Amino acid sequence: MPLYHKLVRDEIPTIIAKTGKQATFRTLEPKEFLVEAKRKLHEEVAEYEAAVTDADAVEELADLLELIQALAKTHGTTVEELEAVRQAKQQKRGGFEERLYLVEVED
């Protein structure tokens, strides 16, 4: 029987049960969730980096977005507040639309 020891989405117990298999789950405490969600972020970033097609990349970006939204709640904020912070940073420092790559700054 494979051991996974990883954070999974909320519907995974139902999906596994529909296959006729039994799985063991437990609910993480808030501090444990933060640790495991950060670990899951690394996993999803690696999967995004390994994506070959645009469709695969979009799937992985959606996973990252789901984790970011869950982590926002963990840090006591809403998705809307997170978006407001993102917009404020974009107003102050810009976004990444121009794809600028800093090479060096002379003193």
Side-chain angles (χ1 to χ4, degrees), residues 22-36:
Q22 291 186 348
T24 303
F25 296 90
R26 71 181 183 88
T27 301
L28 298 173
E29 296 297 326
K31 286 182 180 180
E32 290 177 298
F33 174 77
L34 185 57
V35 168
E36 293 303 322

Side-chain angles (χ1 to χ4, degrees), residues 9 44 48 51 53-65:
R9 288 176 173 263
E44 296 299 341
Y48 169 72
T53 68
D54 287 339
D56 289 343
V58 169
E59 285 285 324
E60 299 309 329
L61 288 171
D63 289 341
L64 284 164
L65 189 55

Side-chain angles (χ1 to χ4, degrees), residues 51-106:
V52 176
T53 68
D54 287 339
D56 289 343
V58 169
E59 285 285 324
E60 299 309 329
L61 288 171
D63 289 341
L64 284 164
L65 189 55
E66 189 70 33
L67 276 165
I68 289 167
Q69 290 176 354
L71 283 165
K73 289 178 188 177
T74 298
H75 291 293
T77 193
T78 65
V79 172
E80 294 79 16
E81 291 168 332
L82 181 62
E83 176 61 14
V85 171
R86 186 202 65 77
Q87 288 177 354
K89 289 187 83 166
Q90 184 183 40
Q91 290 281 324
K92 185 175 180 181
R93 301 177 63 96
F96 295 96
E97 295 296 318
E98 296 182 29
R99 302 184 312 264
L100 299 174
Y101 182 81
L102 179 62
V103 176
E104 66 181 331
V105 176
E106 291 184 28

Side-chain angles (χ1 to χ4, degrees), residues 7-25:
L7 182 64
V8 296
R9 288 176 173 263
D10 297 340
E11 291 301 314
I12 297 301
T14 303
I15 293 167
I16 291 173
K18 285 181 180 178
T19 68
K21 296 179 182 176
Q22 291 186 348
T24 303
F25 296 90

